[in-house]
């Protein structure tokens, strides 16, 4: 990459970068022979970024990259990711990869995820939610998806304390709870966390992706602003569900908390005075 790119234009991940919890990494093998590698990075708002797509020089033009890309798309759909994006360069050495991506329906678009545009780099996107694309022509890969990338008209906005991170979410929450577990209390510094659950593809980070800090693992993680520390929302169930911290919403949602959960571990100094049902654990 560095041989064919201007200085400062290579965003390849090293080993430490590939070991981050938001990264899934795969290697393709033929018995003991390494064919190629690829990685998927989960971004805020149920978006994904393709990273580290490389084919071993001894195995070029054998379909390795196509097989890896097909696998990434399949996994991304299973995780509810509505858009896949990537950053790459320009010039003859990048043309084979660009041709591959475009054969799967990727098209050029705006920078994403904190990248800055330059005369060298370019950004490709694949929207996986608006119906059939040229993916139909690639070995029967399904393009059907229950997800919609469009935020409906009844939408809400939210932000962190300092305003660096701003998001938009559909006012279509499936449930709302007051959680008294010790993890939620420590994450918020409050007696409990009021959360509203929604499919993660219905939430989009509008600005400040580069300011988001993730705490947790692939199964569940909290997303904070690294500047002010605000807990903005959490991703649970392998990223499929977003638990929005209701205190970060700018407007009142149509839903209200329906119960208290994990009251067995509630703060000893806090007294619950409303009439909502109470459960010792999650119910």
């Amino acid at each position: 990459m560095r041989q064919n790119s201007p200085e400062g234009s290579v965003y390849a991940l090293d080993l430490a970068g590939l070991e981050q919890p938001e990264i899934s990494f795969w290697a393709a093998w033929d018995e003991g022979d390494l064919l190629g590698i690829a990685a998927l990075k989960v971004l805020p708002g149920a978006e994904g970024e393709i990273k580290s797509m490389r084919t071993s020089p001894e195995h070029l033009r054998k379909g390795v990259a196509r097989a890896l890309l097909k696998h990434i798309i399949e996994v991304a759909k299973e995780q509810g990711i509505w858009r896949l994006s990537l950053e790459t360069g320009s010039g003859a050495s990048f043309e084979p990869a660009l041709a591959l991506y475009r054969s799967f329906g990727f098209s050029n678009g705006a920078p994403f995820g904190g990248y800055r545009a330059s005369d060298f780099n370019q950004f490709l996107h694949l929207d996986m939610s608006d119906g059939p694309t040229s993916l139909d022509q690639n070995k029967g890969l399904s393009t059907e998806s229950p997800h919609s990338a469009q935020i409906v008209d009844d939408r809400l906005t939210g932000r962190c304390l300092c305003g660096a991170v701003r998001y938009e979410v559909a006012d279509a929450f499936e449930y709302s709870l007051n959680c008294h577990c010790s993890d939620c209390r420590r994450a918020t510094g409050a007696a409990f966390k009021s959360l509203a659950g929604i499919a993660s593809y219905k939430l989009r980070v509008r600005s400040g992706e580069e300011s988001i800090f993730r705490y947790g693992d692939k199964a569940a993680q909290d997303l904070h602003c690294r500047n002010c520390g605000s807990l903005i929302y959490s991703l649970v169930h392998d990223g499929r569900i977003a638990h929005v911290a209701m205190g970060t919403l700018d407007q009142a949602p149509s839903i209200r908390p329906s119960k208290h959960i994990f009251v067995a571990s509630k703060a000893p100094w806090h007294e619950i005075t409303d009439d909502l049902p109470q459960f010792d654990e999650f119910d």
Side-chain angles (χ1 to χ4, degrees):
M1 295 295 292
R2 289 179 173 84
Q3 291 176 351
N4 299 298
S5 306
E7 186 174 353
S9 297
V10 176
Y11 301 99
L13 296 176
D14 58 10
L15 179 58
L18 290 169
E19 290 176 333
Q20 297 303 305
E22 62 267 26
I23 297 286
S24 296
F25 179 83
W26 298 277
W29 297 84
D30 181 7
E31 296 182 351
D33 196 8
L34 178 63
L35 306 180
I37 60 172
L40 170 65
K41 181 179 182 180
V42 177
L43 303 176
E47 298 186 45
E49 178 183 2
I50 295 176
K51 301 289 294 186
S52 303
M53 276 283 293
R54 301 292 293 172
T55 299
S56 179
E58 296 82 9
H59 297 285
L60 293 172
R61 292 176 292 279
K62 296 181 180 179
V64 174
R66 181 171 293 275
L68 286 168
L69 182 56
K70 182 175 182 290
H71 180 71
I72 288 177
I73 293 173
E74 290 173 341
V75 172
K77 287 193 172 187
E78 291 173 359
Q79 295 182 357
I81 290 173
W82 68 270
R83 186 177 75 168
L84 274 176
S85 302
L86 62 100
E87 181 276 337
T88 188
S90 302
S93 62
F94 294 92
E95 285 304 319
L98 290 168
L100 171 67
Y101 292 127
R102 287 170 179 146
S103 74
F104 273 79
F106 284 81
S107 58
N108 285 69
F112 66 98
Y115 288 112
R116 295 180 181 273
S118 73
D119 292 336
F120 172 75
N121 63 355
Q122 52 186 308
F123 309 95
L124 277 70
H125 307 280
L126 174 66
D127 190 332
M128 301 192 294
S129 59
D130 287 341
T133 68
S134 60
L135 290 174
D136 291 334
Q137 303 170 9
N138 287 280
K139 300 183 179 180
L141 180 60
S142 172
T143 58
E144 294 181 3
S145 172
H147 308 311
S148 174
Q150 181 180 2
I151 299 293
V152 295
D153 290 339
D154 52 337
R155 59 187 181 272
L156 305 169
T157 59
R159 61 185 176 90
C160 65
L161 176 62
C162 70
V165 181
R166 297 176 182 269
Y167 67 89
E168 183 179 73
V169 64
D171 189 12
F173 294 105
E174 299 175 18
Y175 54 87
S176 179
L177 311 167
N178 290 327
C179 183
H180 295 259
C181 77
S182 58
D183 288 342
C184 285
R185 288 192 284 110
R186 290 189 174 95
T188 61
F192 56 87
K193 178 175 77 173
S194 295
L195 63 91
I198 193 168
S200 57
Y201 69 90
K202 296 182 180 180
L203 184 152
R204 292 194 208 175
V205 174
R206 287 304 191 187
S207 63
E209 288 183 352
E210 68 281 0
S211 297
I212 290 178
F213 168 76
R214 295 168 178 260
Y215 177 77
D217 55 29
K218 294 177 183 177
Q221 51 188 266
D222 293 336
L223 285 80
H224 298 257
C225 172
R226 67 174 67 252
N227 299 320
C228 63
S230 294
L231 172 61
I232 307 164
Y233 64 97
S234 304
L235 292 174
V236 298
H237 301 301
D238 295 319
R240 295 189 299 274
I241 301 296
H243 281 172
V244 173
M246 297 177 73
T248 65
L249 288 167
D250 295 324
Q251 303 89 15
S254 57
I255 200 171
R256 297 292 184 272
S258 63
K259 64 181 72 172
H260 296 273
I261 61 172
F262 291 106
V263 297
S265 58
K266 76 177 184 65
W269 45 265
H270 175 68
E271 180 180 358
I272 300 174
T273 58
D274 58 46
D275 296 328
L276 294 178
Q278 301 180 25
F279 299 89
D280 287 346
E281 297 182 354
F282 181 79
D283 195 322

